[in-house]
Amino acid sequence: MGLTKFLLALYIIGLTLTHVSLAGNDQKDFVNGHNAVRAKVGVPPLKWNNTLAAYARKYANTRIAKCELEHSNGPYGECIAEGFEELKAADAVKLWASEKPYYDHKSNKCVHGECRHYTQLVWRDTKRIGCATVKCHNGWMFVTCNYDPPGNYEGERPY
Protein backbone atom coordinates (compact mmCIF):
# COMPACT_ATOMS: atom_id res chain seq x y z
CA MET A 1 0.00 0.00 0.00
CA GLY A 2 2.94 2.37 0.71
CA LEU A 3 4.27 2.13 -2.85
CA THR A 4 0.81 2.88 -4.27
CA LYS A 5 0.52 6.03 -2.14
CA PHE A 6 4.03 7.09 -3.15
CA LEU A 7 3.27 6.65 -6.86
CA LEU A 8 -0.03 8.49 -6.49
CA ALA A 9 1.77 11.35 -4.73
CA LEU A 10 4.38 11.45 -7.51
CA TYR A 11 1.62 11.54 -10.12
CA ILE A 12 -0.13 14.43 -8.35
CA ILE A 13 3.15 16.34 -8.04
CA GLY A 14 3.75 15.76 -11.75
CA LEU A 15 0.33 17.15 -12.60
CA THR A 16 0.96 20.16 -10.38
CA LEU A 17 4.32 20.87 -12.00
CA THR A 18 2.83 20.48 -15.46
CA HIS A 19 0.14 22.99 -14.56
CA VAL A 20 2.73 25.42 -13.20
CA SER A 21 4.96 25.07 -16.26
CA LEU A 22 2.05 25.90 -18.52
CA ALA A 23 0.91 28.86 -16.42
CA GLY A 24 0.52 31.87 -18.64
CA ASN A 25 -0.74 29.74 -21.52
CA ASP A 26 -4.41 29.37 -20.76
CA GLN A 27 -7.20 30.64 -22.99
CA LYS A 28 -7.56 33.88 -21.03
CA ASP A 29 -3.91 34.75 -21.66
CA PHE A 30 -4.25 34.21 -25.40
CA VAL A 31 -7.57 36.04 -25.70
CA ASN A 32 -6.49 39.01 -23.58
CA GLY A 33 -3.20 39.35 -25.44
CA HIS A 34 -4.89 39.33 -28.82
CA ASN A 35 -7.66 41.68 -27.75
CA ALA A 36 -5.23 44.25 -26.35
CA VAL A 37 -3.50 44.44 -29.75
CA ARG A 38 -6.83 44.47 -31.61
CA ALA A 39 -8.18 47.30 -29.44
CA LYS A 40 -5.26 49.51 -30.52
CA VAL A 41 -6.54 49.48 -34.11
CA GLY A 42 -10.25 49.51 -33.25
CA VAL A 43 -11.28 46.01 -34.29
CA PRO A 44 -13.73 43.90 -32.26
CA PRO A 45 -12.45 41.51 -29.60
CA LEU A 46 -12.05 37.78 -30.18
CA LYS A 47 -13.77 35.01 -28.24
CA TRP A 48 -12.30 31.63 -27.36
CA ASN A 49 -13.58 28.70 -29.41
CA ASN A 50 -13.11 25.11 -28.24
CA THR A 51 -13.30 23.69 -31.78
CA LEU A 52 -10.40 25.91 -32.85
CA ALA A 53 -8.51 25.05 -29.66
CA ALA A 54 -8.96 21.31 -30.34
CA TYR A 55 -7.70 21.82 -33.91
CA ALA A 56 -4.69 23.77 -32.57
CA ARG A 57 -3.97 21.10 -29.94
CA LYS A 58 -4.15 18.28 -32.49
CA TYR A 59 -1.77 20.10 -34.82
CA ALA A 60 0.61 21.17 -32.01
CA ASN A 61 0.90 17.55 -30.91
CA THR A 62 2.24 16.67 -34.39
CA ARG A 63 5.09 19.15 -33.86
CA ILE A 64 6.35 17.65 -30.56
CA ALA A 65 8.96 15.36 -32.11
CA LYS A 66 10.89 18.04 -34.04
CA CYS A 67 9.28 21.39 -33.15
CA GLU A 68 9.48 22.52 -36.77
CA LEU A 69 7.87 25.83 -37.69
CA GLU A 70 5.47 24.63 -40.36
CA HIS A 71 1.89 25.74 -40.87
CA SER A 72 -0.91 23.19 -40.75
CA ASN A 73 -2.38 24.42 -44.06
CA GLY A 74 -5.80 23.87 -42.53
CA PRO A 75 -9.10 25.70 -43.01
CA TYR A 76 -8.37 28.42 -40.43
CA GLY A 77 -6.10 31.42 -40.18
CA GLU A 78 -2.97 30.52 -38.23
CA CYS A 79 -0.05 32.02 -36.38
CA ILE A 80 2.78 29.82 -35.10
CA ALA A 81 5.82 30.48 -32.95
CA GLU A 82 8.54 28.59 -31.14
CA GLY A 83 10.85 29.47 -28.31
CA PHE A 84 13.43 27.77 -26.13
CA GLU A 85 12.33 26.31 -22.77
CA GLU A 86 9.35 28.57 -22.10
CA LEU A 87 7.17 30.56 -24.46
CA LYS A 88 4.08 32.00 -22.83
CA ALA A 89 0.93 33.17 -24.60
CA ALA A 90 1.88 36.79 -24.01
CA ASP A 91 5.31 36.18 -25.54
CA ALA A 92 3.86 34.61 -28.68
CA VAL A 93 1.28 37.39 -29.13
CA LYS A 94 3.98 40.00 -28.56
CA LEU A 95 6.17 38.31 -31.19
CA TRP A 96 3.36 38.39 -33.77
CA ALA A 97 2.36 41.95 -32.84
CA SER A 98 5.99 43.07 -33.21
CA GLU A 99 5.51 42.79 -36.98
CA LYS A 100 3.25 45.88 -36.94
CA PRO A 101 6.04 48.27 -38.10
CA TYR A 102 6.37 46.17 -41.25
CA TYR A 103 2.72 46.63 -42.21
CA ASP A 104 2.07 49.72 -44.31
CA HIS A 105 -1.65 50.46 -44.05
CA LYS A 106 -1.57 52.98 -46.91
CA SER A 107 -0.26 50.47 -49.46
CA ASN A 108 -1.73 47.46 -47.59
CA LYS A 109 1.58 45.63 -47.94
CA CYS A 110 4.39 44.24 -45.84
CA VAL A 111 7.45 46.47 -46.18
CA HIS A 112 10.97 45.62 -45.02
CA GLY A 113 9.87 42.44 -43.25
CA GLU A 114 7.18 39.88 -42.42
CA CYS A 115 3.82 41.27 -41.29
CA ARG A 116 1.24 38.59 -42.05
CA HIS A 117 1.15 37.22 -38.48
CA TYR A 118 0.31 40.74 -37.31
CA THR A 119 -2.38 41.24 -39.96
CA GLN A 120 -3.99 37.91 -39.04
CA LEU A 121 -3.93 38.89 -35.38
CA VAL A 122 -5.85 42.14 -36.11
CA TRP A 123 -8.02 40.91 -39.01
CA ARG A 124 -11.31 42.81 -38.50
CA ASP A 125 -13.63 39.98 -39.57
CA THR A 126 -12.06 37.32 -37.34
CA LYS A 127 -14.35 36.51 -34.40
CA ARG A 128 -12.99 33.34 -32.78
CA ILE A 129 -9.63 32.03 -31.65
CA GLY A 130 -8.25 28.76 -30.32
CA CYS A 131 -4.62 28.14 -29.35
CA ALA A 132 -2.34 25.44 -28.02
CA THR A 133 1.16 25.19 -26.60
CA VAL A 134 3.32 22.06 -26.42
CA LYS A 135 6.79 21.34 -25.13
CA CYS A 136 8.82 19.58 -27.81
CA HIS A 137 11.30 16.76 -27.27
CA ASN A 138 14.18 19.15 -27.99
CA GLY A 139 13.19 21.43 -25.09
CA TRP A 140 11.60 24.10 -27.25
CA MET A 141 7.98 25.26 -27.02
CA PHE A 142 5.64 25.31 -30.02
CA VAL A 143 2.66 27.69 -29.99
CA THR A 144 -0.15 27.80 -32.52
CA CYS A 145 -3.28 29.95 -32.68
CA ASN A 146 -6.08 29.41 -35.17
CA TYR A 147 -8.56 32.05 -36.30
CA ASP A 148 -12.09 31.91 -37.69
CA PRO A 149 -13.00 33.38 -40.03
CA PRO A 150 -9.44 33.45 -41.35
CA GLY A 151 -7.81 36.63 -42.65
CA ASN A 152 -5.01 37.78 -44.90
CA TYR A 153 -7.01 37.80 -48.12
CA GLU A 154 -5.10 39.30 -51.04
CA GLY A 155 -6.15 42.90 -51.68
CA GLU A 156 -8.21 43.22 -48.47
CA ARG A 157 -7.18 45.39 -45.55
CA PRO A 158 -7.04 43.87 -42.08
CA TYR A 159 -8.71 46.96 -40.54
Side-chain angles (χ1 to χ4, degrees), residues 40-117:
K40 290 179 183 176
V41 295
V43 294
L46 299 176
K47 292 186 179 183
W48 188 261
N49 180 274
N50 289 328
T51 301
L52 292 170
Y55 179 87
R57 169 67 52 210
K58 184 177 179 181
Y59 182 65
N61 285 336
T62 70
R63 308 277 33 118
I64 289 174
K66 296 185 180 175
C67 221
E68 296 165 327
L69 271 180
E70 295 177 7
H71 285 280
S72 69
N73 297 313
Y76 306 112
E78 187 172 69
C79 287
I80 57 175
E82 68 178 0
F84 186 68
E85 289 188 7
E86 187 172 9
L87 182 63
K88 294 183 177 173
D91 301 325
V93 174
K94 185 177 180 180
L95 178 68
W96 300 324
S98 73
E99 294 178 359
K100 182 178 183 175
Y102 305 119
Y103 176 66
D104 178 53
H105 194 266
K106 185 176 180 182
S107 68
N108 193 34
K109 295 190 184 309
C110 295
V111 292
H112 309 298
E114 173 62 47
C115 74
R116 292 178 54 83
H117 297 100

Side-chain angles (χ1 to χ4, degrees), residues 27-42:
Q27 68 186 44
K28 174 182 57 88
D29 297 314
F30 282 109
V31 171
N32 290 345
H34 277 76
N35 288 341
V37 175
R38 293 171 66 82
K40 290 179 183 176
V41 295

Side-chain angles (χ1 to χ4, degrees), residues 15 21 62 71 144 157:
L15 288 177
S21 71
T62 70
H71 285 280
T144 179
R157 294 182 186 279

